[in-house]
Amino acid sequence: MTDKPTQTKESMGVDPYERNWMIVSIFILVLFFGLVTAAGFALGIQVPDAEVRVDPQTLEDSGPFANPGLREIAPGEYEAYVISRQFLFQPRELVVPVGSTVTIYVTAPDVQHGFKIQNTNINMQIVPGQVSKLTYTFEEIGEFPYICTEYCGLGHAAMFGTVQVVEELEEEEEGGSDE
Ligand code: CUA
């Protein structure tokens, strides 16, 4: 065997195996960079965003969390303000027509919670003092339960609500719900 490594200028004395691993490592870095870029810009996958800070003591006195719920900001576009607290979500139900794009803002007045909507990629950590925000387009009719995913106390398992995705919104009726 005569494959004793010889140092030449071109190889800078790098062992061929080491060089191959370096090439693989650089390829993986470039691949991941490309995938993350594609996920963020082409597929619109977002990381939960700490949107703004709020004072957990006063968030219900004024501002959007004083009146949590859905608002239509444009045809087919909604904002939902949700408070997660020991041990419920306010509101417990969000009703939107199919095809709606909903930007969900969630915060907590007490302790840390989670907010996950089943069968979607909405899954956020909710920290008092901070508003978490994610956007989702509901393309299918059905019920999408939302649950608390971080242990927040004895009633943790009771924290849930539902996004109802309906064919069409019924005319709003004064005072009270049917069913
Ligand atoms: Cu709220 Cu667990």
Side-chain angles (χ1 to χ4, degrees), residues 18 41 145 148-149 167-168:
E18 196 174 350
F41 291 97
C148 181
T149 48
E167 175 113 43
E168 247 174 72

Side-chain angles (χ1 to χ4, degrees), residues 1 11-12 19 38 46 54 58 61 68 78 88 93 95 105 107 110 115 124 127 138 144 146 149-151 168 172 177:
M1 286 289 195
S11 74
M12 297 184 301
R19 191 198 57 207
Q46 319 148 68
V54 285
T58 60
D61 298 342
Y78 292 83
L88 53 89
E93 190 179 63
V95 184
Y105 299 85
T107 191
D110 42 27
F115 182 87
M124 318 190 257
V127 178
F138 291 91
F144 295 81
Y146 46 87
T149 48
E150 295 198 20
Y151 185 73
E168 247 174 72
E172 272 184 40
S177 53

Side-chain angles (χ1 to χ4, degrees), residues 16 23 32 59 76 78 90 109 146 148 155-156 163 170:
I23 291 170
F32 283 1
L59 70 94
Y78 292 83
Q90 298 170 293
Y146 46 87
C148 181
H156 162 71
V163 180
E170 290 166 32

